[in-house]
Amino acid sequence: MDISQFVAQSIGTWRSQRSAHHLAFQHFEAVQSVVDITTLDMSDERVIALCKSYDVDPSSAIAPFHMQWEGESDWDEDAEPIKGETVLVPVPDANQPNHGQLLREQGYAETIEAAGKYYFTEDGMFVLETSYDRAAAEERIWFANPKLRFRVSMIKTSGGSGVVTASFASEIKTNA
Amino acid sequence: MDISQFVAQSIGTWRSQRSAHHLAFQHFEAVQSVVDITTLDMSDERVIALCKSYDVDPSSAIAPFHMQWEGESDWDEDAEPIKGETVLVPVPDANQPNHGQLLREQGYAETIEAAGKYYFTEDGMFVLETSYDRAAAEERIWFANPKLRFRVSMIKTSGGSGVVTASFASEIKTNA
């Protein structure tokens, strides 16, 4: 598995069922959402702008994509629907093709730009580590089959040892 | 990571928070339980008996352990507590030390004996595949830190392509 194959497999519309475990107080949160992942052209101005803001030469980026999600959590029944979108741009390492950077217009954990480091394990699991100001996130994504992917995320305090939230998403592709 | 280190890290009492995703009907199930994992002697009669029933020479087994769990699910409020125990015996491959068999007195998915095949990925994740009569299970277990482990399981129909249930457990060690 390399980043191009991984992005290609991810393109589509996914029905996502996500459980978040808030570990300190043993709370379960259930989130149902629809996630749309579409390819972007390398020439897309949002891709170029994101590369620029990280001083990355756009020619070293590959397979940029757009992600959009909309869903509902059972955490607070009165809350507005969870909604968002972001642009993601992979930048493989020149020397280690299974490693690279993933630039993101807007993070999940904080609404700021973020650049995470990714690698693939030998059995095709994508692992992404992102450091924020006061927290760090680790995300693992893998395909059980072409129409089913799993996503495990954890949010750690910036010290790194304290994991505050772990979450698990099962995502079923509803179209090609 | 090898199987001895993995078992050593697993010994203790764990407070487990598990979410099961029943994929066909998008149901979330929440399970809270306590899991106790203790070492067993190689000379323990349950270990010897389990080896015998799989024609395994007990001298090729290592680090046998006992697992016991008790918990509650929100699936059916009136149900009896979830309770069980089993003996597990790892049998590493002579030629591939990161691969082996895991003998189990009693399976999770069916109440029969089972022998699964395990391996470790290069980043220390334990992966176990077990085939049953009409189903197959895949389990992935890894440590976020010595006191926090994650467990992702999926149950597939025996054809292999249809995943019916995926579950995710966050487990916090409450003692040494």
Side-chain angles (χ1 to χ4, degrees):
Chain A
M1 183 74 81
D2 66 23
I3 190 71
S4 308
Q5 293 170 310
F6 180 79
V7 172
Q9 279 207 33
S10 298
I11 298 302
T13 300
W14 300 84
R15 197 188 69 204
S16 172
Q17 188 176 351
R18 186 164 71 87
S19 294
H21 295 172
H22 301 276
L23 299 175
F25 43 116
Q26 283 185 272
H27 183 80
F28 292 82
E29 181 184 0
V31 180
Q32 281 183 297
S33 57
V34 171
V35 180
D36 262 306
I37 304 177
T38 49
T39 48
L40 288 176
D41 282 337
M42 276 307 313
S43 60
D44 189 293
E45 60 184 21
R46 293 168 76 178
V47 174
I48 303 294
L50 192 54
C51 286
K52 258 195 191 148
S53 75
Y54 284 100
D55 277 329
V56 164
D57 178 351
S59 71
S60 61
I62 55 169
F65 57 101
H66 180 259
M67 220 170 117
Q68 189 169 346
W69 59 93
E70 184 161 355
E72 281 184 3
S73 161
D74 69 350
W75 178 273
D76 177 359
E77 304 281 350
D78 301 324
E80 294 291 301
I82 296 162
K83 234 177 131 162
E85 57 154 339
T86 189
V87 167
L88 294 122
V89 178
V91 184
D93 270 14
N95 306 317
Q96 276 183 297
N98 284 334
H99 290 65
Q101 266 197 305
L102 183 66
L103 313 183
R104 185 163 49 190
E105 229 187 12
Q106 193 180 24
Y108 297 147
E110 310 192 4
T111 55
I112 50 166
E113 283 186 355
K117 285 187 178 171
Y118 73 78
Y119 65 90
F120 286 92
T121 67
E122 88 261 46
D123 59 349
M125 184 180 283
F126 172 80
V127 184
L128 177 69
E129 284 158 358
T130 310
S131 296
Y132 298 96
D133 254 10
R134 285 180 293 265
E138 186 191 284
E139 186 157 37
R140 291 173 180 269
I141 304 177
W142 70 101
F143 291 87
N145 64 52
K147 296 199 165 231
L148 175 62
R149 64 175 214 171
F150 295 126
R151 204 149 52 88
V152 171
S153 314
M154 58 187 202
I155 310 289
K156 305 186 255 195
T157 54
S158 56
S161 60
V163 176
V164 289
T165 307
S167 84
F168 174 60
S170 304
E171 305 189 317
I172 291 172
K173 198 179 267 198
T174 60
N175 78 343
Chain B
M1 182 74 82
D2 66 23
I3 191 71
S4 307
Q5 293 170 310
F6 180 79
V7 172
Q9 279 207 33
S10 298
I11 298 301
T13 300
W14 300 84
R15 196 188 71 202
S16 173
Q17 187 177 353
R18 187 163 71 87
S19 295
H21 295 172
H22 301 277
L23 299 176
F25 43 114
Q26 283 185 272
H27 183 81
F28 291 83
E29 180 183 359
V31 180
Q32 280 183 297
S33 58
V34 172
V35 180
D36 262 307
I37 303 177
T38 50
T39 48
L40 288 175
D41 283 337
M42 276 308 312
S43 61
D44 189 293
E45 58 183 24
R46 293 168 78 180
V47 174
I48 303 294
L50 192 56
C51 286
K52 258 195 190 147
S53 75
Y54 284 99
D55 277 329
V56 164
D57 179 351
S59 72
S60 62
I62 55 168
F65 57 102
H66 180 258
M67 218 170 118
Q68 190 168 346
W69 59 93
E70 184 161 357
E72 282 184 3
S73 161
D74 69 349
W75 177 273
D76 177 359
E77 303 282 350
D78 300 324
E80 294 291 300
I82 297 162
K83 234 178 131 159
E85 57 154 340
T86 190
V87 168
L88 294 122
V89 179
V91 185
D93 270 14
N95 306 318
Q96 276 183 296
N98 284 335
H99 289 65
Q101 264 198 306
L102 182 67
L103 312 182
R104 184 163 49 190
E105 231 187 10
Q106 197 181 20
Y108 297 148
E110 311 193 3
T111 54
I112 50 166
E113 284 185 355
K117 285 189 176 166
Y118 72 79
Y119 65 90
F120 286 92
T121 66
E122 90 261 47
D123 60 348
M125 184 180 283
F126 172 81
V127 184
L128 177 70
E129 283 158 359
T130 310
S131 296
Y132 299 95
D133 254 10
R134 283 180 294 263
E138 187 192 285
E139 187 157 36
R140 292 172 179 268
I141 304 178
W142 70 100
F143 291 87
N145 65 51
K147 297 198 164 229
L148 175 63
R149 65 176 212 168
F150 295 124
R151 204 148 53 87
V152 171
S153 314
M154 57 186 203
I155 310 288
K156 304 186 256 195
T157 54
S158 55
S161 60
V163 175
V164 288
T165 307
S167 85
F168 175 61
S170 304
E171 305 189 317
I172 291 171
K173 198 179 265 196
T174 61
N175 78 343

